[in-house]
Amino acid sequence: MANIKVDGTLVEVPDYYTLMQAAEAAGAEIPRFCYHERLSVAGNCRMCLVEVKGGPPKPTASCAMSVKDLRPGPNGEPPEMFTNSPMVKKAREGVMEFLLINHPLDCPICDQGGECDLQDQAMAYGVDKNRFAENKRAVEDKYIGPLVKTSMNRCIHCTRCVRFTTEVAGIAEMGLLGRGEDAEITTYLEKALTSELQGNVIDLCPVGALTSKPYAFNARPWELNKTESIDVMDAVGSNIRVDSRGNEVMRVLPRINEAINEEWISDKTRFIWDGLKSQRLDRPYVRKAGKLQAASWDEALAAVAARMKKAGNKVGAIAGDLAAVEEMYALKALLASVGSGMTDVRPAMSGIDPSMPRSAYLFNPTIAGIEQADAILIIGANPRKEAALINARIRKTWRAKGLPIAVIGERADLTYSYSYLGEGFETLAELAAGKGEFAEVLAKAKNPLIIVGEGAVSHAKLGKQVGRDTIALAAKLATGTEVAEGWNGFALLHNAASRIGGIDIGFVPHDGGVCSADQIALAGKGELDVLFLLGADEYDTSAMGKAFVVYIGSHGDAGAHRADVILPGATYTEKSGTYVNTEGRVQMTNRAVFPPGDGKEDWAIIRALSGAIGKPLPFNSLTQLRAAIYAEFPHLARIDQIAPGAVADVAKLAKAGIKTKSAPYGSAVAEFYLSNPIARASAVMGECAAMAAGLRQAAE
C-alpha cells in the first residue's frame, strides 16, 4: 500500500494503482476517452491530465503513471497530485480544443447524441471559440459489417475499438493505419468483423464514430423506457437493459455483472430485437381441413380440451430453449393432473439422467471461477458459438496466465491457442486412463477445469449411454488426486436458457414418462395422442405422425407449422420469468412491453387450459404460481444466487461403469446467429448468418 495526497486529501491505495485510480479512490473525477478499465493502457487522448507536485513541470497523463512512480517529498512527505488546479484546467481545455479541430460537430444528426462522452466533456472543458480556421479533415466511412455503422469523421483515435477486438474478442482485424493527419481506424482490408462480440465497440466508442447500424435513426435515448432484464439467447444469462418505446423494443444494451458477463454481451443478445417483431403469433389458430385458421381463445382452448379428454394419459410435453420456469412448472402440473409424466426439456437422447445429482449438470466452477483454473479441457463444445462470453472469459484467463488448454471434438478457431487431442470419445477415454502429455498436465493441476458441451452428452443417433459415459470420464478428470480442496472443476456447458431451470423443477421424464426423442417416436407410431410443444422448435416435427400437436410459443417457426392448435405466447421481453443459467444462478426477466395482439403469458395460457379440461390448477396469479414453485423448490426463490453442487457427487459420477467404445463429438450449435426462433425471425441475424456462410465458403 502507498499514501498519496489528492487535492489535499490523504488516501491509502495499492502501490500498483494508476494516478487515475488513486484519484477516483479519493472521490475526484478524472475525464478520459482512451482509458478503459478492462483494456490495456494506451495513453493517447491526454484528457486525463493531472498536476503532480514535485513531478515534471507539465501535466501528467494519470492513466499511464502509477502511484509507485512518484517520489516522496524532501522530508518523506507523501506524493501529491492535483486534479482541478489552474494548470490542469488549462491543459484539459487545450486537449479538448485539439480534439475538436477536425470533429464535424454534427450532434443533431448523431445517434450517440445524449450518450456521448465527447459531448458531455465538451460541456465541461470546451471553449467558446476555435482558433483553427483550416478546413476540417475528411475521412471516408468504412464498411465493417452489418452490425456497426461507421462515421469516421468523428473518430478521435482513442483506439478503444482496436484494443477490444484484439484483446477481448481475440480477432486481429482492426487497427490504425497511416500517420499524423492520415491516420485512420479501419479493418485492414475493409472487410466485415468476424467476432461474435463486435457490437461492444459501439458501447466503448466515446464519440459517434461507431454506432449501431440496425438502430440508426430509430430513436433518441431520452425517448426510451429502460427495463433491467436477463438475456435468454444462450445459457450464460447475461444481464441486459431493454430499451423500449411504446410497445416496441428498440435496442438491447449490457448491464455490468462481474460474476457473469462483466460489461459485454454477444451480438446475438444485442441485435436480436428486430426478431421480436417479425413472424409473431398474435392470435390463436386451429387446423381445419388441413389448414390453420384464426380462432378465438375459447375455440382454441375447447379444441385442445376435447382432444385431451379423449387422450387420457397419452399426453406428452417438450419444452424449448427459451421457456421460463413458471410455464414449465404449470405445464408439468397440467400433465400430472391427467396422469402423464411425459415431460422433457433436454435435447434428444441426452445423457443427463434425471436421477443424477445437481452437480452433474451445472457449470460448477462458475463463470467467474474460470479465472482460477490452471488447466482447461474442452470436450465436445465450441464455446465461441455456444457461449461467447464464457469463451471471452477463457481467453481473458489464457492471456493473463498462459494456462494450457486442450480440445477434444470440433477443431475450431476459439480465439486462443490450444492443443487439439482428437475428435471423439476414444481420445477422452485414453486421457482418463492417464495417457498423453495433457493427462500429465491435468494430473498436476490444482484447479483443473473440464468443460463438457451438450454436443458431447447428447447423441441422437448413438443414444444416451455415450453422454453418460462422457460425464463419468469428465468427472474422473475433474476429481484428480492433486485437486485443491473445495474446487469443483466439472463444468457442463449448456446452450439453452431453459435447460437448468427445467431440470431443477423436474421437467424431465417421471412416473413412467419417456424422453423427448421417445415421445416423438411414440407420436409417430400413433401411441401418443397429444403432444405439447412449449416453444420447442429444435426437434424433428415431421416425425410426429398424426399426433395432435399443441404449440405454445411466440414465433411462427417449425413447431407452429406442424401444430394443430397454436396458442400465442410471450417472449422474454414481454413477461416476468425465472431462468437458471448454466452455472445454476437463478435470475429473472422483467416485462418491458406487452405481447402483440391476443398473445398471453405462457403460464396463463396453461392455467386457462386446465380450467377448460375441468382440472383447474391451484393458482390464479403469477404470485400464487411462484409461491407454489418456491415451496417445492426453495433455491429458486434466491435470486442471483447459486445453489452449488457437491464435489462428492461429482466423485461418485466418476465411478460409473463405461460401456461406450467410440463416438464423435461436435458442437451443439451449428449456426450461431440462427439458434432459436427469435433469431431466425431477425433480418439482422439472417444477414449475419449469410455473411458467415460466405466467409466459410471463401475459406474452403
Side-chain angles (χ1 to χ4, degrees):
M1 301 293 283
N3 291 321
I4 182 172
K5 269 190 175 182
V6 180
D7 297 331
T9 302
L10 184 66
V11 293
E12 186 179 33
V13 295
D15 61 358
Y16 57 80
Y17 263 30
T18 62
L19 299 186
M20 180 183 288
Q21 290 172 308
E24 290 182 342
E29 186 177 343
I30 305 284
R32 82 290 299 268
F33 291 117
C34 69
Y35 177 80
H36 191 275
E37 291 81 357
R38 302 183 199 279
L39 305 176
S40 60
V41 174
N44 53 14
C45 78
R46 318 310 285 180
M47 196 66 204
C48 65
L49 295 172
V50 296
E51 180 183 352
V52 178
K53 184 176 181 180
K58 59 180 182 180
T60 299
S62 61
C63 70
M65 179 173 277
S66 298
V67 173
K68 62 185 175 185
D69 295 331
L70 300 182
R71 294 175 300 172
N75 300 314
E77 301 96 334
E80 191 167 357
M81 72 167 168
F82 303 94
T83 66
N84 53 11
S85 66
M87 177 204 281
V88 171
K89 187 173 185 295
K90 183 180 179 182
R92 289 177 184 167
E93 288 176 353
V95 169
M96 179 59 69
E97 193 174 1
F98 275 123
L99 288 174
L100 297 179
I101 290 173
N102 287 310
H103 199 75
L105 306 179
D106 51 6
C107 300
I109 59 151
C110 178
D111 263 333
Q112 198 91 327
E115 302 175 310
C116 176
D117 291 347
L118 184 66
Q119 197 177 50
D120 294 342
Q121 292 182 35
M123 290 292 290
Y125 301 102
V127 290
D128 60 348
K129 291 190 179 77
N130 184 2
R131 290 177 286 177
F132 298 93
E134 292 80 11
N135 290 332
K136 290 182 181 288
R137 182 184 80 143
V139 182
E140 186 178 345
D141 292 344
K142 309 296 189 295
Y143 172 77
I144 61 174
L147 303 178
V148 183
K149 179 175 180 279
T150 62
S151 299
M152 302 314 291
N153 282 335
R154 304 169 185 160
C155 180
I156 61 170
H157 301 164
C158 71
T159 68
R160 278 187 180 183
C161 55
V162 176
R163 284 175 285 147
F164 173 81
T165 54
T166 306
E167 297 167 12
V168 179
I171 54 167
E173 295 173 356
M174 282 191 89
L176 188 141
L177 302 181
R179 299 181 68 186
E181 192 175 276
D182 297 324
E184 297 182 23
I185 299 286
T186 179
T187 54
Y188 293 115
L189 298 174
E190 291 210 19
K191 290 187 177 179
L193 297 176
T194 59
S195 172
E196 297 78 14
L197 300 170
Q198 62 181 281
N200 291 291
V201 301
I202 296 166
D203 299 331
L204 287 172
C205 186
V207 295
L210 303 175
T211 55
S212 171
K213 193 175 281 188
Y215 172 73
F217 309 119
N218 276 349
R220 289 296 196 179
W222 54 84
E223 302 173 335
L224 304 175
N225 292 317
K226 301 166 179 64
T227 307
E228 294 187 350
S229 192
I230 302 299
D231 172 58
V232 299
M233 292 299 109
D234 52 30
V236 176
S238 302
N239 285 212
I240 58 172
R241 193 186 85 194
V242 179
D243 286 1
S244 58
R245 184 176 61 190
N247 205 40
E248 187 177 358
V249 174
M250 304 303 293
R251 65 177 179 179
V252 175
L253 298 176
R255 287 190 293 129
I256 296 177
N257 188 320
E258 299 293 349
I260 304 174
N261 57 304
E262 297 181 301
E263 63 185 84
W264 320 123
I265 52 174
S266 75
D267 293 340
K268 189 161 52 174
T269 300
R270 183 184 296 270
F271 296 105
I272 200 76
W273 51 267
D274 70 314
L276 295 168
K277 311 176 243 196
S278 304
Q279 299 181 25
R280 287 303 301 268
L281 301 171
D282 59 358
R283 67 186 68 178
Y285 288 86
V286 176
R287 192 176 295 277
K288 298 176 182 177
K291 290 186 178 180
L292 285 168
Q293 298 181 16
S296 67
W297 271 107
D298 289 342
E299 188 180 351
L301 292 174
V304 178
R307 290 301 296 261
M308 284 191 71
K309 288 173 181 176
K310 289 181 183 177
N313 66 352
K314 292 183 178 179
V315 182
I318 302 173
D321 293 353
L322 308 181
V325 166
E326 285 80 0
E327 52 255 33
M328 287 189 282
Y329 183 87
L331 187 54
K332 179 189 173 188
L334 177 69
L335 264 66
S337 71
V338 298
S340 173
M342 294 196 189
T343 56
D344 207 358
V345 70
R346 304 166 301 168
M349 290 297 171
S350 173
I352 301 171
D353 194 296
S355 64
M356 286 180 173
R358 195 166 192 255
S359 54
Y361 57 85
L362 290 187
F363 199 96
N364 292 290
T366 72
I367 295 170
I370 292 172
E371 297 182 28
Q372 298 175 35
D374 52 10
I376 298 178
L377 173 65
I378 300 171
I379 305 167
N382 181 341
R384 187 171 174 181
K385 284 184 182 177
E386 297 172 32
L389 291 161
I390 286 181
N391 196 63
R393 188 81 75 148
I394 295 172
R395 174 177 167 78
K396 176 184 177 182
T397 307
W398 170 78
R399 287 186 73 238
K401 295 182 177 180
L403 79 171
I405 302 175
V407 170
I408 299 175
E410 175 187 336
R411 180 177 284 193
D413 177 11
L414 299 180
T415 72
Y416 40 82
S417 59
Y418 59 82
S419 303
Y420 184 70
L421 305 182
E423 64 176 4
F425 182 87
E426 51 273 36
T427 305
L428 177 62
E430 289 180 5
L431 196 64
K435 299 176 182 177
E437 291 182 17
F438 202 76
E440 296 178 15
V441 172
L442 289 176
K444 295 176 183 176
K446 296 292 184 186
N447 297 339
L449 174 56
I450 314 298
I451 299 176
V452 183
E454 281 195 351
V457 299
S458 303
H459 285 265
K461 293 181 180 177
L462 298 177
K464 305 170 187 175
Q465 191 61 44
V466 177
R468 290 170 185 167
D469 289 348
T470 299
I471 290 172
L473 292 181
K476 182 179 179 182
L477 291 170
T479 54
T481 54
E482 299 294 322
V483 174
E485 186 177 350
W487 173 257
N488 189 344
F490 179 82
L492 194 60
L493 178 60
H494 295 274
N495 55 61
S498 64
R499 201 85 73 217
I500 299 258
I503 299 173
D504 272 357
I505 65 166
F507 201 89
V508 287
H510 59 280
D511 297 332
V514 295
C515 71
S516 56
D518 291 342
Q519 285 184 45
I520 293 171
L522 288 174
K525 295 175 189 174
E527 297 176 18
L528 190 69
D529 294 345
V530 178
L531 181 59
F532 283 91
L533 299 180
L534 186 59
D537 299 277
E538 317 304 325
Y539 298 84
D540 184 5
T541 55
S542 64
M544 294 175 183
K546 296 182 180 180
F548 188 81
V549 176
V550 181
Y551 183 78
I552 304 173
S554 59
H555 283 71
D557 209 74
H561 288 296
R562 169 60 186 84
D564 295 291
V565 173
I566 294 174
L567 305 176
T571 65
Y572 69 105
T573 58
E574 298 159 2
K575 64 187 177 187
S576 175
T578 304
Y579 291 87
V580 186
N581 77 347
T582 192
E583 59 182 352
R585 187 182 301 273
V586 182
Q587 300 187 106
M588 196 175 287
T589 61
N590 290 310
R591 181 166 59 198
V593 295
F594 288 88
D598 293 332
K600 308 288 183 187
E601 291 185 47
D602 304 62
W603 74 265
I605 295 171
I606 297 163
R607 171 62 183 83
L609 182 56
S610 71
I613 65 171
K615 297 183 178 179
L617 295 174
F619 44 81
N620 295 311
S621 67
L622 185 58
T623 303
Q624 291 176 357
L625 170 57
R626 285 191 173 143
I629 294 172
Y630 298 160
E632 195 170 346
F633 307 102
H635 73 281
L636 294 176
R638 296 191 283 272
I639 303 300
D640 202 35
Q641 293 184 37
I642 300 171
V647 182
D649 289 338
V650 176
K652 289 177 185 175
L653 292 172
K655 297 175 182 177
I658 306 300
K659 299 175 183 177
T660 306
K661 298 298 181 185
S662 68
Y665 291 146
S667 173
V669 176
E671 176 52 69
F672 171 76
Y673 295 105
L674 303 176
S675 61
N676 61 58
I678 304 176
R680 289 189 285 271
S682 166
V684 176
M685 293 295 100
E687 190 177 350
C688 290
M691 185 191 71
L695 291 173
R696 284 195 297 269
Q697 289 176 359
E700 292 169 1

